[in-house]
Amino acid sequence: MFENKTVIVTGAAQGIGKEVAAQYAKMGASVVMADINEELGETVYSQLVRDGYKAIFVPTDVRKEQEVIHLMTTAVAHFKTIDILINNAGIFKPASPYDLPMETFDDIINTNLRSVFLCSREAAKFMRLNPKGGAIVSMASTRAFMSEPNTESYAATKGGIVALTHALASSLGPDSIRVNCISPGWIETGDYGSLKEADHLQHFSGRVGKPEDIARACFYLTDEKNDFVTGINLTVDGGMTKKMIYEE
Ligand SMILES: NC(=O)c1ccc[n+]([C@@H]2O[C@H](COP(=O)([O-])OP(=O)(O)OC[C@H]3O[C@@H](n4cnc5c(N)ncnc54)[C@H](O)[C@@H]3O)[C@@H](O)[C@H]2O)c1
């Protein structure tokens, strides 16, 4: 489905981004993996190449404008076009709002939210040159809509991504660039086998999510046949945000 497409995935060295990058590679895409963690990124990308897939790794700090510009120009130099961007890089640092230093708040905004605007803008400059435009998907979170204590900075970035998504969908629509986001619920990126039965059964789906659940959502949103879908948030959470809870 994604042969002849170039896909950029940020935060691709581990977790959801690693799986999303690998799944696009298996679908025939040329994958550009970007991450701040060079050692892990090199290891993950080398394995994909050894397995016969088309991939490059570009060490990138998505907070830094020049590094993001370099990411996009490197992608085009290698694979000629940019067709799909998955804005996945993100950090989560819970802290009491009474104690959270403003430097930390700013860093989370820059890493999770400002980066989505920056990467989208720089990728769109190339996508608009394609006859069929392109597709952008950003990782928001169910925490854009509901909260636990001490998560203000993260929640603000994820709510911001949902709003940025429909704003960009409006601006970039004339260039045939679709912009959507995904709100994952609990996606286990560690040892899935060590989860408790209660972890699974609290979901309507009867199980905790896996990175491949998010990869399939990315496929749906970036499939060019689905060109009537833009500006949306797709919640992939096993039903948790629809669960009504009254404490006894
Ligand atoms: N796992 C979940 O349950 C879940 C739920 C909702 C949303 N999300 C979102 O999905 C995305 C991926 O989550 P994950 O659980 O796989 O996280 P993760 O921590 O496993 O991976 C995040 C990756 O982003 C990279 N990264 C961090 N800062 C960066 C920077 N400045 N520049 C470039 N790369 C940077 C990290 O090195 C890492 O490889 C995040 O945006 C996260 O907020 C995850």
Side-chain angles (χ1 to χ4, degrees), residues 11 14-16 35-36 60-62 88 90 111 140-141 154 158 184-185 187:
Q14 61 187 6
I16 293 172
D35 205 288
I36 199 171
T60 310
D61 181 342
V62 294
N88 168 80
T111 306
S141 168
Y154 185 85
K158 297 306 185 177
I187 303 298

Side-chain angles (χ1 to χ4, degrees), residues 4 35 37 43 71 95 102 116 131 135 159 187-188 195 214 220 242:
N4 306 318
D35 205 288
N37 187 332
T43 308
L71 166 64
M102 288 319 294
V116 171
I187 303 298
E188 183 56 46
L195 295 174
I214 303 305
Y220 169 71
K242 297 296 181 200

Side-chain angles (χ1 to χ4, degrees), residues 14-173:
Q14 61 187 6
I16 293 172
K18 176 183 169 186
E19 182 66 21
V20 168
Q23 292 294 337
Y24 273 109
K26 287 174 190 169
M27 297 296 275
S30 301
V31 176
V32 181
M33 306 173 70
D35 205 288
I36 199 171
N37 187 332
E38 289 194 34
E39 201 182 328
L40 214 50
E42 290 284 351
T43 308
V44 169
Y45 125 86
S46 309
Q47 187 58 51
L48 276 182
V49 171
R50 271 199 300 278
D51 292 342
Y53 299 114
K54 291 171 282 182
I56 59 170
F57 173 66
V58 185
T60 310
D61 181 342
V62 294
R63 294 169 297 187
K64 299 197 172 144
E65 189 172 10
Q66 288 312 314
E67 294 193 18
V68 169
I69 291 170
H70 174 258
L71 166 64
M72 303 307 165
T73 53
T74 306
V76 171
H78 271 79
F79 296 126
K80 297 196 169 45
T81 60
I82 297 173
D83 304 286
I84 293 169
L85 168 67
I86 310 295
N87 285 311
N88 168 80
I91 53 174
F92 180 52
K93 292 184 181 171
S96 162
Y98 293 112
D99 304 328
L100 182 70
M102 288 319 294
E103 294 74 24
T104 308
F105 186 89
D106 290 346
D107 189 51
I108 294 168
I109 297 283
N110 289 340
T111 306
N112 293 10
L113 178 59
R114 182 178 176 275
S115 68
V116 171
F117 176 74
L118 177 56
C119 292
S120 301
R121 184 185 72 189
E122 294 307 321
K125 289 177 183 174
F126 291 102
M127 287 178 177
R128 68 180 168 181
L129 306 176
N130 301 334
K132 290 188 170 179
I136 298 172
V137 173
S138 306
M139 289 309 151
S141 168
T142 49
R143 291 175 189 270
F145 308 104
M146 58 202 307
S147 287
E148 291 177 305
N150 305 325
T151 58
E152 285 71 19
S153 54
Y154 185 85
T157 63
K158 297 306 185 177
I161 287 173
V162 174
L164 186 54
T165 295
H166 56 72
L168 283 172
S170 171
S171 301
L172 303 181

